[in-house]
Amino acid sequence: MNKPFAITLDPGSSLANHTGSWRTLKPVYGDRLPPCNQACPAGENTQGWLYHAESGDYEAAWRVLTQDNPMPAVMGRVCYHPCEGACNRGELDSAVGINSVERFLGDEAIKRGWAFEGQAAASGKTVLVVGAGPSGLSAAYHLAMLGHAVTIKEAGPLPGGMMRFGIPMYRLPREVLDAEVARIAALGVKIEYNAKVANIKEAMTQGGFDAAFLAVGAHIAKRAKIPAGDAARILDAVSVLRSMEGEEKPLLGRKVVVYGGGNTAIDVARTAKRLGATESIIVYRRNREKMPAHDFEVEEALQEGVMIKWLSTITQADGGSITVEKMELDAKGFPQPTGQFETMEADSVVLALGQDVDLSLLDGVPGLEIADGVVKVGANMMTGASGIFAGGDMVPSERTVTVAVGHGKKAARHIDAWLRGSVYEPAAKHEPAPFGRLNTWYYSDAPKTMRPMLDTVRRQSTFDEVQGGLDESTALFEARRCLSCGNCFECDNCYGVCPDNAVVKLGPGQRYRFDYDYCKGCGVCAAECPCGAITMVPEAI
Amino acid sequence: MNQQVKFYQTGTRTVGNRLLAPEQRAIQADIERTNSLNCGHRACQGCGEALGARYAIDAAMRAANNQLIAANATGCLEVFSTPYPETSWQVPWIHSLFGNAAAVATGIAAAMRVKGKPDVRVVAQGGDGGTTDIGFGCLSGMFERNDDVLYICYDNEAYMNTGVQRSSATPGGARTATTMPLGEHPGNPFGQGKSVPLIAMAHEIPYVATATVADLRDLEAKVTKAIGIRGAKYMQVLVPCPLGWGAASQDTIKLARLAKECGLFPVFEAEFGEITGVSKIRSKVPVEEYLRPQRRYAHLFGKTPRAEDIARIQAKADRNIKKFGLLDQGEA
Ligand SMILES: Cc1cc2nc3c(=O)[nH]c(=O)nc-3n(C[C@H](O)[C@H](O)[C@H](O)COP(=O)(O)OP(=O)(O)OC[C@H]3O[C@@H](n4cnc5c(N)ncnc54)[C@H](O)[C@@H]3O)c2cc1C
Ligand SMILES: Cc1ncc(C[n+]2csc(CCOP(=O)(O)OP(=O)(O)O)c2C)c(N)n1
Ligand code: SF4
Ligand SMILES: [Mg+2]
């Protein structure tokens, strides 16, 4: 009251002046879903594990990764990495080499002998898993971690499914696969080999299982009707690749023709080359743009001397030769015959036309819905038969190791809930973190690190692994290329750029807090947050 | 100054970086920073001057071991921080007049010398009006006598506190309350220009530097260096003004960044009249990209765009790029 003329304030600090009342927009922190995480069929928290790899804490990175996927060393070799296709950094220079960092972490874990931790207490429930392919192994891992007793019954003599009997070892060395399977088995998962399940109901009753997860894959080779002479040698791709794992290597001859355009065709052709074929030729009825095989695999095959005959179908096979007809793509992109024929020398023809599922173990199970040769499952991965879940190649979906692993995880979570008499509710998905939300000014310019490749001569004659891994320093570099899309990585920008000191830094690992008493809502923090973790929301006025 | 640590995700581009050692992070990253200009000040939302002042004075406090006195010219910075007798300053701070901050600081420096307190460092600060116009005589005297003061000019390119009147730092073409977008030559006339950094260099004082609020590391390094030098030092810091420039409050740092990246605001340092370092342009942009978001240039982009004026502004940027060597060899 007793103030001098024209003085209205008390002596003191401006802290008395709560400028937060000026605000019409309010900044809020939030975690967003980065495109890599969103694109991962196995539901990996990619950005989350890269965050630990960035600081060189590889074990923490591996532990976050394996919360979703128990086989990073395998994934880092065979996954087709849709994460990299979605990675925001692709719009800046080139995508983060997520797959190569994953492989580094997987290899590091094998080298250092890291084991899974944090297994839940025994639930007293038992689950039968049919098939020790990626989907079955993934389900077994997640179920075991959740405390259930798991038995895997596997028809074959060794684990891995198509990872062993399909994918050639020049892409996936078997000791890597063995190491990652052993780690899952070490959780107490029982794997019975040469134990084909002929009837699922019987197997469940006999073993007293509370639930089952089926992941039998797709192993029956599709055939094409090719008129063939007696002397013609016609094989199928899965059998050829499977016999690569046995004592007796397949006899393909000097001139091998592979029929088909998928990744399997490429793998067989490259295998034939390594077995000593002078000519390994893929015959495919459409052109390169229409080929389902991935570009990089085609590229690698061509480098190794595999040849591809485009726009051709095989019309006749005889001993030592085949007849092909030239095709033409119609307006809709379908191949149409032209009536032009030619003969080619061929000691053998390997059909790589896809695989069907052997569903005989489900004969007589009521309630199942089968369409296009695969078993339908609900959003919870359960088939029409209560307590019988399924995933991987035998259900409708893309056929990849990663999808199979994702199915295994998802099914395990639903099986767990089902066994406990409840329903699994996945956590709500965060809002996406698109490129447009990033302030890319702040990131260092850094092109992608290339993985070393084995020289071509050795690729043509041996089954040594083609693609090398990153060493520690390059893996670290690659991890640090991550933009941490939509998730705070504690760069202190918000804390620094606020003209009103209204951001409180909470210390390492604790991130920040807004002091809404003083925040005027200018939005500078949100604009200058590199990763788009701050959103301005209207104040209720 | 160019980036110190090249990689580590964001290197030294962000304020902090958990991957770097604490001493490699900006002073602003420190939980214990001075916060010389504290919360509760009455600057507009997104004020570049408030930000620039905290950046600079926090760095000066660190460099001076907290032995610092600041003199402040009249202007927004003084008015929004100290409605008498309340203050946002957490450092010893003196206000006298609009045009005499340099002289007041000279007096403080002399007093410290007489009292045998050479550790106490002295800063004078003011807006572009207070510096390049009304305070110019005192400033030149301070330079010529080589008084032991760091003078920091927060350049927002007009007299903002009294309602956006033009100063000798207002760029050609810009609208202010006294250079309205009317007539044949709308906005501020394209004059000769007045670069106080170059004038300061002509005095051959020990240190002259320019900086912006968009490059914190550079600004902090320059203030730290200046505080360590005895004699007269001058810094001019570009501080976008959302109100006076007609820009969105969240664009303050972005505009400062674009001013530098287009070449209109050259960032450099000089010792004893010689340029010793320039911040290179990282990704060159046309001036249009900088001008468009500011309503003070809206008349250039109206129904009949004033291509000639834009070209003149671009020519100014190009001259700067050439004169200061703002592009790396091979880029042009
Ligand atoms: C040549 C080839 C290369 C490939 N390359 C890649 C690649 O690089 N990347 C990629 O992501 N995907 C690749 N794929 C696809 C991928 O391998 C499969 O999508 C994936 O393995 C499917 O996993 P799954 O667990 O469903 O089945 P599978 O891997 O097929 O495993 C099924 C397992 O169940 C067993 N089984 C079957 N029936 C019974 C039964 N009745 N009782 C007990 N056990 C049974 C089988 O013996 C087998 O071990 C490739 C496929 C092939 C054929
Ligand atoms: C001698 C004198 N003339 C005029 C004024 C009124 N006045 C106060 S602040 C100001 C403008 C300040 O402009 P600038 O120095 O550029 O600082 P800004 O407010 O833009 O930060 C003016 C003209 C005054 N205080 N003293
Ligand atoms: S930059 Fe990092 S977080 Fe963003 S998409 Fe790529 S890997 Fe994921
Ligand atoms: Mg001004």
Side-chain angles (χ1 to χ4, degrees), chain B residues 53 108 125 144 157 167 177 182 194 208 262 285 314:
Chain B
I108 298 168
Q125 50 182 358
E144 175 269 328
E157 303 187 331
S167 79
L182 301 168
K194 178 174 181 180
V208 173
C262 75
V285 293
Q314 183 64 56

Side-chain angles (χ1 to χ4, degrees), chain B residues 49 127-129 154-160:
Chain B
E49 190 165 34
D128 49 293
Y154 302 108
D155 180 9
N156 53 21
E157 303 187 331
Y159 291 72
M160 296 311 182

Side-chain angles (χ1 to χ4, degrees), chain A residues 34-36 46-47 50 86-89 96 98 481-485:
Chain A
C36 50
T46 310
Q47 178 276 328
L50 281 169
C87 172
N88 276 334
R89 184 142 198 154
V96 173
I98 301 168
R481 292 182 66 243
C482 173
L483 310 173
S484 194
C485 305

Side-chain angles (χ1 to χ4, degrees), chain A residues 60-262:
Chain A
W62 180 81
R63 295 209 177 276
V64 173
L65 197 171
T66 52
Q67 279 167 16
D68 296 295
N69 187 337
M71 296 185 286
V74 169
M75 300 314 297
R77 290 174 165 83
V78 306
C79 178
Y80 297 127
H81 42 74
C83 52
E84 294 186 21
C87 172
N88 276 334
R89 184 142 198 154
E91 292 192 42
L92 204 57
D93 37 37
S94 51
V96 173
I98 301 168
N99 188 249
S100 56
V101 181
E102 180 164 24
R103 167 168 168 178
F104 170 79
L105 294 175
D107 288 353
E108 197 69 8
I110 295 172
K111 195 156 79 183
R112 314 236 174 256
W114 297 331
F116 297 129
E117 287 168 3
Q119 205 171 355
S123 66
K125 303 282 185 190
T126 58
V127 183
L128 170 64
V129 172
V130 184
S135 208
L137 288 165
S138 162
Y141 161 75
H142 286 285
L143 286 165
M145 289 298 280
L146 290 164
H148 307 300
V150 183
T151 299
I152 306 182
K153 288 191 188 286
E154 164 57 51
L158 289 164
M162 279 299 183
M163 299 187 291
R164 182 185 304 271
F165 295 104
I167 300 174
M169 58 187 169
Y170 60 82
R171 293 205 286 124
L172 177 58
R174 300 309 184 231
E175 58 276 15
V176 171
L177 177 59
D178 290 338
E180 294 207 316
V181 174
R183 203 191 285 124
I184 295 171
L187 290 171
V189 171
K190 224 191 301 161
I191 312 183
E192 296 171 10
Y193 295 108
N194 304 310
K196 182 168 176 156
V197 173
N199 181 312
I200 183 61
K201 278 284 177 202
E202 258 170 43
M204 283 180 74
T205 328
Q206 271 169 17
F209 293 103
D210 299 304
F213 178 67
L214 312 185
V216 297
H219 291 232
I220 305 173
K222 285 196 171 116
R223 309 288 302 190
K225 286 191 204 76
I226 301 173
D230 295 341
R233 187 165 162 70
I234 301 183
L235 304 142
D236 72 79
V238 270
S239 318
V240 169
L241 291 171
R242 186 180 306 125
S243 59
M244 288 301 300
E245 291 302 302
E247 291 297 301
E248 279 179 37
K249 303 290 172 247
L251 295 171
L252 300 172
R254 310 291 291 169
K255 300 199 169 165
V256 182
V257 167
V258 179
Y259 196 27

Side-chain angles (χ1 to χ4, degrees), chain B residues 49 74-76 98 127-130 134 156 158-162:
Chain B
E49 190 165 34
T74 311
C76 273
F98 187 22
D128 49 293
I134 192 170
N156 53 21
Y159 291 72
M160 296 311 182
N161 190 61
T162 40

